[in-house]
Structures are given as C-alpha cells and as structure tokens.
Amino acid sequence: VPTLTTWHGPGAPATPDDIHRTAADFVQLAAERYDTPTTELPAVVDVLARTLLAIGEVGLTDAEAVRLGPQDYARRLRGAVQGADRALTPEAAWFHDALLVSVCLHVLHHLVRRSPYIQRRLPERASRIAQLVDLDDAQAAARQPERSREDAEFEARYADWVVRRHGWLTIVGVDFPNAPDRWPLEETYLSLEAEERSGGDADGQRAVLLADRALEDHERVLLRGVAGSGKTTLVQWLAVATARAGSRVPFVLPVRRFAREGFPAPDDLLHAIRHPLADRAPEGWVVRTLLAGRALLLVDGIDEAPEKARGELRDRLRRLLRIFSGNGCLVTSRPSAVEDGWLAEQGLADEGFVELSLAPMSRDRVTRFIRDWHSAARRDELSRGQRDKREELEEYEQRLLHSVRIYRELRQLATNPLMCGLICALNRDRAGSLPHGRKELYDAALEMLLQRRDPERDVLYADDVRLQQGTRERLLQKLAHAMLEEGASELPRPRAVGILDATLPAMPTARAQGDGQEIFRHLLHRTGLLRERSGDSVDFVHRTFQDYLAAKEIVARGRLHTLVDHAHRSEWEEVVRMAVAHARPEECARFLEELLAPAPTLRRPQVNHRRLMAAACLEHVAELDPAVQRLVHDRTKNLVRPTTELAARGLGWVGPIVLELLPDPGQVPDDRQALLLAVTATGVQDDAAIDYLVHLRTRSALPIRAELARGWRHFDTERYAQEIIAHLDPDGLYFPVSDTAELAALRDLGGRPRVQVAGVMRAEELLAGLDPGQLTHLWLNAELTDTDVSWLSHFPRLRVLRVNPRLPRVRNVPVGVEITAREDL
C-alpha cells in the first residue's frame, strides 16, 4: 500500500542529526567531482540537510514521489524549504541543486526497491528510475573535477565560430548596388515581445516579456511564431550572446538537419548537424558540457520535422533533458505544428517548459525596424563613399513610414519581421510604389532577386551562366517541390544536382548554359534564395520562399488536387494557400469542393482542419464561382465553435472569412462561449474583426473585457480605441498599452484608473502618456528600461504598483504606493 515517510516518532528511520551527517557525506563525495570551494561546503551541507528533512514534511506517498521523478521531486523539496539557499553563492547553489537531483534519484530508487506495490502499479517508472540510477553512476565516474585544458581551448574556438557564423543577418531582398548580402546582427536585430501562453492570471491578462530575455527567467521555453516572425533570428541572437558571455555553451540545432534520424545522442550531436568543428572536438566534450549543466540547446523548427516523427523527437529531447538536468533549452515551432502542452508527458509532471508566443510587432517596433534598416543602409552607403544616396534613402524611409500608417494591408504585413524587411527593400527598389498583397509581395521580391539584383549591382560576369527570371524561378521550383515531396527542409548537394540534370533536357535554354552542377552553382551563388550547409547540402534561406515556390510548381504541373491529401497537415498550410493564389478559377473551384468532401480515412479533427483550410483559401482567390463560395460557407459555419482557448486562437489563421462563420455574439448568453468568440475574433487580425467585436464590448465579465483590451495591438489603434476601448467598463480592468500610439490614444479617451504597460517603453514616454488625474493602479507587465521608478511621484493618485516577480526589483518607489506581485484587491 502507499506509505508516507517521516523523520518523527518511534518508527522514524533516522534522526535529524543522522540526516545532517549523511548530507555531509554526500557533499564530501560530490565535492570531489565538482569545482566547489571547500569554504562553502558547510553551508551546502546545512541546506542539503534541511532539504532532505523536508521529505518527511511534504506529505507525499512513496508512489506519488516516484510519479514525480527526480527533477520534480527535487523541486518539491526545495519548495518546502524556501529561502534556505539564500546564504549560498550562485556557484554553491548550483552545486546544491545538482547534488539534490542525484540524491533524489537514489531516494526514489530506494522507495521502488522496498515497495512491491510500486513495482506492480508503476512498472515503467520503476524501470526508468533504475536505468537513470545506472546512468547517473556511470556519469559520476566520468565526471572530471574541472575542465581540462583541451576542453577549455576547444570551447574558446567553438565560441568564436558561433559568433562568426551566427553574428550576421541575411535580409532577403536587399539589393543596393555593390551592397553586401549580409548585415551585422547587432545592427539589425530587433528585440521582439512574447506573450506567456500558460500560467496566466484568472482575469485573462498575460505577461509580456522580451523574447531574447525569456531564458533569463525560464530554463526551458517552447516558443511559437508564424513563418517569418523572427524565430531563427532570435536563435542566432541567443547563440551569439551566450557565446560572448561564456557562461553557457550554445548548441544551435536546426531540426531539418536531423528530422528523419531523430534527436541525436550527445556524442553524435555535432556530427548530426554537420558542424564543421565536429571532428576537432575532444572526445566526450559535449557530454561533459551537458553534465556540467552549461549547455544551451537551441532547437529550431520542430515544424520542419515530418509530423509522424515529431513525437519520437520530442521524447528523445525530454529524455536528454531529464538525464542532463540544469541545461537551458529553447524549442521553436510554427503555431499549429504542435498542440498546447506538447512537451508535457502524459500522466507525469511536465519538463519545466513555459510556452510563449511571439507577438506581432507593435506600431512602435515597426517604426523602429524601418528606421534601423534604413540607418544600416545609410551607413553602408557612406562606407562606400556614396554620400549622394543618403538623402535618397531618407526620403524613401519617410515615404514608407507614411505608407505603413495609411494602408491597412501594408501595416498588417509589416508586423512580421521577414515581411517588414522585404517591404523596406521593395520600397527602396520601387521608389515608394509598393505591392500590398502577400502573393504580390513575393512576386515582386522574386523579380528583384532573380532578374534585377545582379544587373543593378553591376555583377554581370560572376559566372558564365545567363538565365532569365522565368528560367531561374522554374529551376528553383523543382528544388522546392522535391523538398516538399520528400518531407525535407534541405537536399544533399548530389540530390539537388540530380534534380537539375533531370530537368534540363526539357529546358533547352538552360541546358545550353551548362550541366546540373554548373546550374546548381549559379542558383546557389547568384539568386540569394539558396544557401549551402557545410558543403554537402542546400536549403532555402527562408522557409516561406520554399513553400511559395513549391506551391507554384504544383500548380504549373496541374496537380493542385494532390494537395487535398495534405491539407489537414499544419506544415502544408502555407503551400495550400499560395497554390490557390496561383491557380486558375476552375482549378480552385474543384480543389475547394474536394477539401469539403467526406474523408473516411481521416480523424474528425483532421477533417475539420481540412475544411477550415478551404475557408482560409477564400482570402487568396481572385475569382471563384459564387456557388462554391456559398458551399464553403455552408460546410464550415458550424466548425467555428471552439471549446478551448487554444482552439479559439487557432482559428485566427483562417483569416477574415472566419468572421462570417462565427455565431452572432448577441445570441450567445454564456460568458464562457462569448470569451472564446472574443479570442477567435481578436486573433483574425483584420480590421473587419472590429465590427464583430463591437457586439461584445458591453459584456460585463472581466475575462471578456480583458481579452478585448488585450487584442488592441492587432488592429488600427485609433479606430479600435474609439469603437472598442472607449466602451469597456473600466471596473477592475487593466487597460494594456504596448506602444506610444496606444498610450496616446488612451490618454485622448481621458485616461483610465488601471493601466498595464504591456510593451517596453521609457519613463519619459510613460510620463507623457499616462494621465496623472486618473491613474490609481499601474501594472508594469513588460521588461523595464530602468528599474528606478521615482518618476511615479508625478502621479498623486497612484496607490498600487503591480510588477512581475521575475522582472528586476524596482527602486525608489514613491511613499504611499503599495508594491505587489499579485493583484488581490
């Protein structure tokens, strides 16, 4: 039967003194393996003894403890003696935590061995703990007291390589005459904001933090973001910053490199990603780095693994993190590729991952991106003596800033960093005449890259191949289509050359220019769309271009109907949409009818996903039979009844068409269902959603009002302020402001008593934007540019300052202002 452990009473197995002596033995043994100053060992012994005594205080049965596993069991014990480790230095605290996990593992092993009940009821957990004990003992024998000289020297070379490799940003579309193809990352990187997807407050308001600081507050993060939202650039930034700091060793792990083979074992990690230094690393270096808890695993693009392989990849990653505790980990994915809680193990405690979503760039951030982009361009022109170009670039910058404010579609496209970079380049290229649609934007970018880029850069004789845009594009389509068909994000070089060799006989103009090898080199070096990986494989610089070109090839082959079998899969969503954008009206009509047809081999969620894709495609169709449009409406209108917030947010990708399918909010009396409708509509991110949300603005439930207020950043600021924000009951509601435009709009409405700063702003901006006659409650829910908040003395009615515990401690809080980490009023 389940039992409880206690240190008290006649049945107690040991006294507190016994536990203290045992803790001292543990510390002494472990100190031989770690580089821990002997002067700190007595303090570690005291803390470890207090933590082990908590075994008798936490009230867990043996079975409950075994279910937790060593990592979470250690967390539970540490939580029972909060503050005990404050006397420890950071190094000693790390030593204590690493030792505690190892001790907990052996404690759980003892509980399993003494309990036939656990062995019968939890056989898999019992077996797993036994395996971990064996591995822990083996690793302990392999530990070295300090890094060897060989390890330290290699780590320095590795860090230098990381900075050189990832310290540059390729901005697709930059085509200034004689300009470089890449830019220093530190000059062009823009820190993006992320919202926490779980652990939010009961009132529906969520914390906002800078994405590049997420790992300062959370050891493990699953970060979602749409294509082009900046996930890979964030990975580069974290890798470079970590390598320069030297506190951890960053491992950039593009999933595409091992998508088929699965997550590599530590000893094979560098070889699996074909790292150029793999053969020079000292034997066992990666394992030793993981054992020391000094690694930062940057797993980029879970969505680039085949769907059927993602589960195995996840399980291997979880096992690695469980065995090698203390290492940081960031996993990135497109939003719909993995479900909520994907990294949590069924029936067991999760692996400590917090889920964040990259937020679209606010108006302030779009402005800053455009200005930074043009500043970098002007510096480059100046460095090459092109002073006359500076005024021209300044004029283009001002035109673009004006256009982004005026044109709604352009403004929405610019909230994506990739699209914003393309828009900047096209704005310069076309002297202010910009395409506004997504398909038109990619068409214009490809025209610039494939036809105009080299001539305008005066690069006329880089090789002997002379191909026009149409021929180049068709060849690239073949490569993109092969990647799609093979479920790969890159191709081995021989495979890519083979595809081109097989294509050239049907393209006499291209064939006359050379064989597959020569054409491959030309496409690689002259298009700006491909990049070579470690000399033996090739991929597209941006996945969105791969999807776009593959879609175009499918339509060119007259095989749009083949996408029906893939339309329920998240990684094919962009391909489906762009294929419809290229297809002829009759093809689109037949394709949409097939998407809506019965699919007995698919599960119900997959059928629903496929039908919703039909609705999403309507946004990209230029011409379509009205009868087919009505059919799409009729077959999908009953699908948009989400039952969870995750499902509601997932409907946002469908686009404005979903608003026509949602029920009338006035006919939904239940507040829970009304909240889900609000979540869905705010996720559409089209100003047409404002007309729908108007019908929810008088609801009294705080979560609904909070969701409407939180959705502000997705829409035109002035219109949303007048039609939604102005009508929300302010009772108990924190009104979020993510940029200075929202701050000014809120003040124009007369201010509000409770304001949530949900974006990064300077003190002088807040002083100018907050209403001193209204403000009583201020929630600093984002990163602080300065922890000195003495400027709050300018707000005489302010009573409560709410801050997030993970943010730096604020200084100089005015007298009379209560500071709290929770809102309990």
Side-chain angles (χ1 to χ4, degrees), residues 219-241:
E219 188 174 89
R220 298 170 182 176
V221 173
L222 171 61
L223 183 72
R224 302 172 192 263
V226 298
S229 60
K231 301 185 297 296
T232 298
T233 304
L234 173 64
V235 165
Q236 289 181 240
W237 179 265
L238 291 172
V240 171

Side-chain angles (χ1 to χ4, degrees), residues 1-5 60-63 111 114-115:
V1 295
T3 59
L4 288 165
T5 298
L60 291 173
T61 66
D62 291 0
L111 298 181
R114 80 175 187 179
S115 173

Side-chain angles (χ1 to χ4, degrees), residues 408-476:
R408 178 185 59 82
E409 188 173 31
L410 192 62
R411 183 171 66 247
Q412 291 176 341
L413 287 172
T415 61
N416 179 310
L418 170 60
M419 288 294 189
C420 199
L422 285 172
I423 287 169
C424 288
L426 288 168
N427 179 65
R428 185 270 176 197
D429 182 70
R430 296 191 170 192
S433 176
L434 289 169
H436 290 179
R438 180 158 56 175
K439 174 182 176 296
E440 289 74 19
L441 189 65
Y442 281 120
D443 284 340
L446 288 173
E447 177 192 356
M448 182 170 61
L449 291 166
L450 302 181
Q451 179 172 314
R452 301 173 53 186
R453 186 170 185 262
D454 273 357
E456 293 186 9
R457 288 159 50 95
D458 295 324
V459 181
L460 303 177
Y461 306 105
D463 59 27
D464 296 328
V465 177
R466 303 288 182 270
L467 297 176
Q468 295 299 310
Q469 176 188 348
T471 304
R472 283 176 161 184
E473 193 166 328
R474 284 194 293 275
L475 291 167
L476 289 167

Side-chain angles (χ1 to χ4, degrees), residues 273-291:
I273 61 173
R274 296 185 281 286
H275 196 288
L277 297 181
D279 292 328
R280 304 180 192 176
E283 185 176 356
W285 174 71
V286 174
V287 173
R288 289 190 292 275
T289 302
L290 290 166
L291 281 170

Side-chain angles (χ1 to χ4, degrees), residues 59-266:
L60 291 173
T61 66
D62 291 0
E64 289 169 339
V66 169
R67 285 192 184 96
L68 284 176
Q71 192 79 25
D72 288 304
Y73 188 42
R75 290 195 189 104
R76 182 69 66 88
L77 296 182
R78 285 199 302 268
V81 287
Q82 290 183 354
D85 58 352
R86 289 177 182 170
L88 301 180
T89 65
E91 293 78 9
W94 175 88
F95 171 50
H96 167 268
D97 291 348
L99 175 56
L100 178 62
V101 172
S102 182
V103 171
C104 285
L105 173 61
H106 287 269
V107 168
L108 297 182
H109 190 217
H110 169 70
L111 298 181
V112 168
R113 285 189 300 172
R114 80 175 187 179
S115 173
Y117 171 84
I118 294 177
Q119 295 166 23
R120 290 196 310 272
R121 297 296 298 272
L122 302 172
E124 293 183 2
R125 296 299 288 165
S127 174
R128 182 60 185 157
I129 286 173
Q131 294 173 12
L132 289 174
V133 167
D134 292 340
L135 183 58
D136 186 64
D137 290 342
Q139 291 172 348
R143 281 190 179 100
Q144 297 181 4
E146 58 183 14
R147 282 186 297 162
S148 67
R149 184 177 188 180
E150 184 183 17
D151 280 2
E153 290 176 350
F154 176 77
E155 186 175 315
R157 291 198 301 274
Y158 177 85
D160 181 64
W161 181 90
V162 168
V163 172
R164 286 186 284 105
R165 171 65 181 82
H166 297 291
W168 296 87
L169 180 65
T170 299
I171 305 179
V172 173
V174 174
D175 67 338
F176 301 122
N178 302 315
D181 295 326
R182 58 181 191 167
W183 305 76
L185 182 63
E186 62 184 1
E187 292 183 8
T188 51
Y189 177 73
L190 178 67
S191 184
L192 300 175
E193 293 176 355
E195 294 180 349
E196 190 166 340
R197 292 178 57 89
S198 58
D201 296 299
D203 58 11
Q205 309 200 53
R206 301 183 179 188
V208 177
L209 64 156
L210 292 178
D212 51 22
R213 297 185 185 175
L215 288 170
E216 295 178 7
D217 305 310
H218 306 285
E219 188 174 89
R220 298 170 182 176
V221 173
L222 171 61
L223 183 72
R224 302 172 192 263
V226 298
S229 60
K231 301 185 297 296
T232 298
T233 304
L234 173 64
V235 165
Q236 289 181 240
W237 179 265
L238 291 172
V240 171
T242 303
R244 283 176 171 161
S247 55
R248 285 184 182 269
V249 179
F251 293 95
V252 178
L253 307 173
V255 172
R256 69 175 71 92
R257 311 306 294 274
F258 49 82
R260 294 183 174 181
E261 298 82 4
F263 203 91

Side-chain angles (χ1 to χ4, degrees), residues 258-469:
F258 49 82
R260 294 183 174 181
E261 298 82 4
F263 203 91
D267 283 331
D268 300 326
L269 193 148
L270 294 181
H271 285 95
I273 61 173
R274 296 185 281 286
H275 196 288
L277 297 181
D279 292 328
R280 304 180 192 176
E283 185 176 356
W285 174 71
V286 174
V287 173
R288 289 190 292 275
T289 302
L290 290 166
L291 281 170
R294 298 185 60 247
L296 174 60
L297 305 177
L298 300 168
V299 185
D300 189 28
I302 285 291
D303 54 280
E304 295 186 3
E307 186 174 9
K308 61 183 180 181
R310 291 175 197 160
E312 177 62 23
L313 190 150
R314 172 197 59 198
D315 293 342
R316 291 192 186 182
L317 174 61
R318 285 195 309 215
R319 285 197 293 270
L320 183 144
L321 293 173
R322 205 174 297 142
I323 293 169
F324 299 100
S325 61
N327 294 288
C329 183
L330 173 77
V331 179
T332 73
S333 173
R334 290 190 183 184
S336 56
V338 295
E339 66 273 15
D340 196 23
W342 183 72
L343 283 164
E345 188 170 353
Q346 185 69 29
L348 298 172
D350 65 30
E351 302 302 318
F353 276 89
V354 63
E355 298 195 8
L356 304 176
S357 290
L358 279 177
M361 290 195 296
S362 65
R363 178 179 300 197
D364 280 357
R365 272 177 156 63
V366 171
T367 298
R368 179 181 161 191
F369 185 104
I370 293 171
R371 286 175 174 166
D372 287 351
W373 194 94
H374 285 83
S375 293
R378 284 192 292 269
R379 283 195 298 272
D380 181 73
E381 297 287 1
L382 185 61
S383 69
R384 292 183 290 106
Q386 302 289 329
R387 294 181 178 274
D388 58 320
K389 297 289 186 180
R390 291 178 58 84
E391 292 185 5
E392 182 180 274
L393 285 170
E394 289 173 358
E395 179 183 349
Y396 292 151
E397 177 184 338
Q398 293 307 312
R399 287 189 190 181
L400 180 55
L401 289 171
H402 176 74
S403 297
V404 168
R405 285 193 292 268
I406 297 300
Y407 299 108
R408 178 185 59 82
E409 188 173 31
L410 192 62
R411 183 171 66 247
Q412 291 176 341
L413 287 172
T415 61
N416 179 310
L418 170 60
M419 288 294 189
C420 199
L422 285 172
I423 287 169
C424 288
L426 288 168
N427 179 65
R428 185 270 176 197
D429 182 70
R430 296 191 170 192
S433 176
L434 289 169
H436 290 179
R438 180 158 56 175
K439 174 182 176 296
E440 289 74 19
L441 189 65
Y442 281 120
D443 284 340
L446 288 173
E447 177 192 356
M448 182 170 61
L449 291 166
L450 302 181
Q451 179 172 314
R452 301 173 53 186
R453 186 170 185 262
D454 273 357
E456 293 186 9
R457 288 159 50 95
D458 295 324
V459 181
L460 303 177
Y461 306 105
D463 59 27
D464 296 328
V465 177
R466 303 288 182 270
L467 297 176
Q468 295 299 310
Q469 176 188 348

Side-chain angles (χ1 to χ4, degrees), residues 13-34:
T15 67
D17 287 343
D18 294 332
I19 298 303
H20 195 278
R21 283 192 292 272
T22 301
D25 291 340
F26 285 150
V27 169
Q28 189 61 43
L29 288 170
E32 298 173 2
R33 306 170 189 163
Y34 297 91

Side-chain angles (χ1 to χ4, degrees), residues 722-739:
Q722 293 297 326
E723 299 195 34
I724 304 296
I725 298 296
H727 299 271
L728 297 178
D729 182 356
D731 184 31
L733 175 63
Y734 279 94
F735 287 81
V737 290
S738 59
D739 57 38

